Amino acid sequence: MNLNQIHNVYFIGIGGIGMSALARYFQAIGKNVCGYDKTQTELTKELIDDGIDIHFEDNIALIPADYYQENTLVIITPAVPIGHAEWNYFLERNYLVMKRAAVLGLITKDTFCFAVAGTHGKTTTSSILGHILYQSGVDVTAFIGGIVENYDSNLIGTGKTVTVVEADEFDRSFLHLHPDIACVTSTDADHLDIYGDSSAIEASFQEFADKVQDKDKLFVAKGLRLHGGITVAVNEDAQFRAFNVRIENGEYVFDVQTPTETIKDLRFALPGKHNLTNGLMALAMAKTFDIPNQDIANALLTFKGIKRRFSYQIKTDGLVYIDDYAHHPTEINAVHQAVRELYPNEKVLAIFQPHLFSRTKDFADGFAASLSQFDEILLLDIYPARELPMEGITSSWLMQKMTNPHKKLVLKTDLIANILASDAKIIVTIGAGDIGEEVSKIKKALS
């Protein structure tokens, strides 16, 4: 299929973080763009402000008349239910209907593609890499699964020759891509509702890794059970190695040993060893693309981070409020490690909203252990996203598994009162559901 022949692009689920990046891209290259989403959010408001027509009712009468044409591409998110009226309308009339991942595959097929895979770290690594390439003058488009603070967008650039994409393992979507340079940050078990077990996930990541023909252009975090590729690690032996790591004025300062040289005194402000690993992974990929050391150093220094990824909302001597998208035990452990490294003697209150019944069920013991590390925990009800409830899988059930006695199940309507009642100096909201919509309210109440 030739995207040049497409005039209209219609999105079903346009408000998703990945879908909205595609919507912005197609609008930027001159296509007519509109779509449906079931929920109004800050992101859909921004798209509407940018001139994209969006409606919030599943009603074929609300599809603009201009889109009833053969040259319309319909893009759907995997979260759309099978009975969705608009989706079925387009399917029954043989419109070109594609999943987001397949469309990314089409775009990357005709470009030089950087693909970032991993159950954790995709968004941060992709953002840093996109920032390095864009700031270095590369003709790049980076599709990001989060809002990058430097650009206030999930789209960096609108270049035609180079793309940066998150290689999403959900639904094996990343197998649609055509990577020239790729990395795998992690292969922890996740999406067990699709894969069944961790060995099936690892096999899928190996299949993705095998798509990179030149194994000198595949980068893997050290310790992953993947064949081939260049190893990357912090304070461990690896082909790309960060070492001599120290903290100065709240920033990491570190050296990097590459296969050919040592780069000294790089600076990077995102906290946590996991973020330093993500930055190192982006550096390795950029070096392989022959980006000069000084350009990489400048980009690492100026990278401001991603909204909802260890995002400071309040940072004063008396109170710190951080918001993070973490929704897997490994990610929560990473948040905890970063908080303890920065604020070793302070009381920390964590507010967590579990995301998906299936994930809560599959990783309940891991969630309980990771959350119990905080000094105090407020737990919200499970955010269902695309799922129906599962019998017995509730936040109350999860809370019973936590060993920390300072825990409480709260309704969203009572959340702010419970936060204000705590004497914790460090407050962290965690989760991938609609807890993000509460952040500005919490910030206002704390301020």
Side-chain angles (χ1 to χ4, degrees), residues 370-428:
S370 62
L371 291 167
S372 293
Q373 299 175 100
F374 295 95
D375 299 303
E376 190 179 343
I377 309 110
L378 298 178
L379 192 62
L380 293 166
D381 284 333
I382 296 170
Y383 182 76
R386 57 185 178 268
E387 293 185 338
L388 295 173
M390 292 182 176
E391 187 175 350
I393 308 303
T394 64
S395 287
S396 178
W397 168 77
L398 174 62
M399 194 170 73
Q400 289 172 15
K401 292 177 172 286
M402 293 181 197
T403 55
N404 187 332
H406 305 292
K407 58 192 176 182
K408 185 177 182 182
L409 187 64
V410 298
L411 296 172
K412 209 183 293 178
T413 50
D414 300 329
L415 179 59
I416 287 175
N418 279 275
I419 293 171
L420 294 175
S422 173
D423 62 349
K425 290 275 188 74
I426 315 299
I427 297 166
V428 190

Side-chain angles (χ1 to χ4, degrees), residues 27-321:
Q27 185 189 42
I29 64 170
K31 309 296 184 187
N32 300 320
V33 176
C34 75
Y36 155 88
D37 206 283
K38 69 175 182 179
T39 310
Q40 296 186 51
T41 63
E42 191 62 35
L43 196 44
T44 59
K45 181 180 179 297
E46 289 174 8
L47 294 177
I48 291 168
D49 289 345
D50 289 340
I52 295 176
D53 182 20
I54 301 175
H55 59 267
F56 300 93
E57 179 189 342
D58 178 15
N59 182 348
I60 58 175
L62 297 176
I63 301 169
D66 293 353
Y67 287 73
Y68 296 111
Q69 298 176 11
E70 288 183 3
N71 55 11
T72 293
L73 168 64
V74 180
I75 304 177
I76 62 161
T77 172
V80 174
I82 198 162
H84 194 276
E86 293 185 13
W87 181 19
N88 282 285
Y89 176 88
F90 286 117
L91 283 177
E92 288 162 5
R93 285 154 183 81
N94 295 316
Y95 277 75
L96 183 61
V97 179
M98 301 178 73
K99 287 185 178 179
R100 179 180 66 91
V103 175
L104 278 176
L106 276 178
I107 294 169
T108 61
K109 187 176 182 181
D110 297 324
T111 63
F112 188 97
C113 174
F114 289 86
V116 178
T119 41
H120 325 294
K122 286 190 294 293
T123 298
T124 304
T125 305
S126 301
S127 302
I128 300 166
L129 178 60
H131 181 60
I132 292 171
L133 296 174
Y134 185 77
Q135 294 298 319
S136 303
V138 175
D139 182 42
V140 65
T141 300
F143 299 92
I144 307 298
I147 304 299
V148 188
E149 297 279 8
N150 297 69
Y151 306 92
D152 197 27
S153 179
N154 49 358
L155 190 72
I156 301 175
T158 52
K160 294 182 172 62
T161 56
V162 177
T163 47
V164 176
V165 295
E166 295 185 30
D168 191 358
E169 74 280 1
F170 177 76
D171 204 19
R172 295 178 171 84
S173 293
F174 54 9
L175 300 181
H176 288 283
L177 300 173
H178 304 274
D180 295 285
I181 297 178
C183 73
V184 181
T185 62
S186 53
T187 58
D188 289 1
D190 200 359
H191 305 301
L192 295 184
D193 52 327
I194 290 169
Y195 284 99
D197 59 30
S198 58
S199 62
I201 291 175
E202 288 183 1
S204 194
F205 274 105
Q206 186 65 62
E207 192 176 349
F208 166 77
D210 289 342
K211 292 174 77 72
V212 184
Q213 310 214 333
D214 182 349
K215 291 304 178 241
D216 287 340
K217 294 182 177 177
L218 171 68
F219 299 89
V220 297
K222 186 171 183 187
L224 299 187
R225 294 190 295 185
L226 293 174
H227 309 303
I230 305 291
T231 54
V232 177
V234 174
N235 287 331
E236 292 182 65
D237 274 342
Q239 287 153 292
F240 274 82
R241 175 174 70 100
F243 66 102
N244 192 23
V245 180
R246 58 263 191 217
I247 296 176
E248 295 178 7
N249 299 321
E251 293 180 339
Y252 283 119
V253 184
F254 60 102
D255 303 333
V256 172
Q257 182 66 54
T258 80
T260 58
E261 64 181 316
T262 302
I263 309 171
K264 305 279 283 184
D265 297 326
L266 293 164
R267 289 184 171 270
F268 185 60
L270 291 201
K273 182 185 174 185
H274 62 299
N275 279 325
L276 190 53
T277 304
N278 295 334
L280 180 61
M281 193 71 82
L283 176 150
M285 297 172 82
K287 279 286 294 176
T288 304
F289 197 64
D290 293 329
I291 301 296
N293 290 350
Q294 192 56 54
D295 287 354
I296 294 173
N298 290 341
L300 289 175
L301 180 64
T302 58
F303 184 71
K304 295 178 183 176
I306 304 143
K307 288 182 181 176
R308 304 223 60 228
R309 302 301 198 283
F310 211 89
S311 177
Y312 280 99
Q313 304 300 311
I314 297 172
K315 192 177 184 182
T316 66
D317 290 341
L319 180 68
V320 171
Y321 171 32

